[in-house]
Amino acid sequence: MAGYRRQLYRDDAVVLRVQKLGESDRIITLLTRRHGRLRAVARGIRRTTSKFGARLEPFGHVDLQLAGDPKGNHGSSLHSVSQVEGIDLYGKRFLGDYPRYTAASAIAETAERLTPVEREPSLRLFQLTVGALKALSRGEHATTLVLDAYLLRGMALAGWAPALIACAVCGTPGRHRAFSVPAGGTVCPDCRPPGAAHPAPATVDLMSALTTGDWVLADATEAGVRRECSGLVAAHLQWHLERALRSLPLVDRGPSVTSTASPPDGTGAVVLRPRGDVEAGADGANRE
């Protein structure tokens, strides 16, 4: 539109991803509090003289001023960053900690995948993402527990929460032993499809605890239960996303274990996967 002047507005945001642009600029992917996910250009941020380059690194919680139409009705889809103030730069606290850094990467990638439409406000997801990064930076709970709690609650916000206290197919209440990713969670004996996993009861209890925030129970679980829980959560998430997360296989989940996996189509084919490999369908649970 002729004569249109870019509007200035402020918002606080989490930095999800950065990409190089030209010789000195970057494109910053942000999850904002009031305007959802958007992308902005940070001019000259890669120069040594940049005043706010260090503030726009991944996983930081920042307050910034942007130039552009917040509703995206006018001008370019890329906004411009004009001012940045750091609220809490969580990434600086675990740059040298591989498990926490990779978990934060998985959180950021998941947040981006759960907001497919730009500029669509998602306050609860924003708050959940900030809370997860804060928990990682404090180190009060095991890294994988924080990540799995984030993934489970993120899926709940998206309407994909796995059924844990009733059959995902018929709704029969109770503690069911079988878990089917395509079916949507735990299933009763009558509804159990071929290839369904049979996780330990403690694994389902852990998934429920992470969903509700029962950290006393979650912190007391054993490593094997946590690994099995991670596999089920990752498989359930990637089934609904319909694609694998690139960062999840990099997450350090502890000592190497051999897991069995069944593809989402329920064929029951078994594959051996190494530690940390959580491609779609690798739920890490025993099968009959």
Side-chain angles (χ1 to χ4, degrees):
M1 179 180 295
Y4 169 70
R5 297 184 62 184
R6 306 191 82 187
Q7 177 183 349
L8 293 177
Y9 66 99
R10 299 195 72 89
D11 205 345
D12 63 308
V14 174
V15 179
L16 300 181
R17 183 160 57 97
V18 299
Q19 300 167 269
K20 292 181 180 179
L21 177 66
E23 296 183 357
S24 60
D25 306 334
R26 277 180 178 167
I27 297 176
I28 315 296
T29 301
L30 304 160
L31 179 61
T32 67
R33 180 183 295 273
R34 290 178 290 275
H35 300 94
R37 179 179 61 83
L38 53 84
R39 298 183 303 153
V41 176
R43 305 288 182 186
I45 192 175
R46 292 160 56 199
R47 295 173 183 159
T48 56
T49 56
S50 174
K51 295 181 179 180
F52 51 78
R55 303 171 197 167
L56 286 176
E57 292 295 332
F59 322 134
H61 183 198
V62 297
D63 175 81
L64 37 72
Q65 179 174 275
L66 298 167
D69 182 4
K71 297 183 179 180
N73 296 327
H74 303 286
S76 170
S77 62
L78 285 177
H79 296 200
S80 296
V81 178
S82 57
Q83 292 181 8
V84 182
E85 295 295 335
I87 297 176
D88 208 330
L89 305 181
Y90 300 118
K92 289 186 175 181
R93 303 183 189 176
F94 45 76
L95 283 177
D97 188 323
Y98 180 81
R100 287 197 290 171
Y101 184 87
T102 52
S105 299
I107 288 171
E109 185 180 358
T110 301
E112 188 171 356
R113 296 285 181 84
L114 292 178
T115 50
V117 180
E118 289 192 357
R119 301 183 188 87
E120 185 174 278
S122 183
L123 176 60
R124 294 179 66 187
L125 181 63
F126 171 81
Q127 294 172 329
L128 180 65
T129 304
V130 172
L133 293 173
K134 182 184 294 185
L136 279 181
S137 68
R138 291 178 175 176
E140 296 175 350
H141 307 287
T143 299
T144 56
L145 292 181
V146 174
L147 173 59
D148 290 337
Y150 176 83
L151 298 181
L152 284 165
R153 297 179 196 184
M155 285 191 285
L157 293 178
W160 304 334
L164 300 174
I165 59 175
C167 176
V169 178
C170 66
T172 301
R175 291 169 55 92
H176 304 298
R177 288 296 312 274
F179 189 100
S180 172
V181 170
T186 57
V187 287
C188 66
D190 293 335
C191 299
R192 178 174 63 87
H198 287 262
T203 300
V204 178
D205 291 341
L206 175 57
M207 294 175 71
S208 298
L210 293 176
T211 302
T212 59
D214 185 353
W215 289 104
V216 174
L217 189 155
D219 290 336
T221 54
E222 299 178 353
V225 171
R226 296 180 184 181
R227 286 194 296 269
E228 189 173 48
C229 172
S230 295
L232 289 173
V233 172
H236 193 84
L237 172 66
Q238 293 175 126
W239 168 264
H240 286 283
L241 289 176
E242 298 183 346
R243 59 185 297 187
L245 292 179
R246 293 175 298 175
S247 53
L248 271 181
L250 304 177
V251 176
D252 188 347
R253 299 186 182 277
S256 299
V257 292
T258 300
S259 302
T260 60
S262 178
D265 60 8
T267 58
V270 176
V271 216
L272 295 181
R273 300 190 181 275
R275 176 187 70 183
D277 190 344
V278 286
E279 296 294 330
D283 55 23
N286 295 326
R287 301 178 183 278
E288 289 185 345

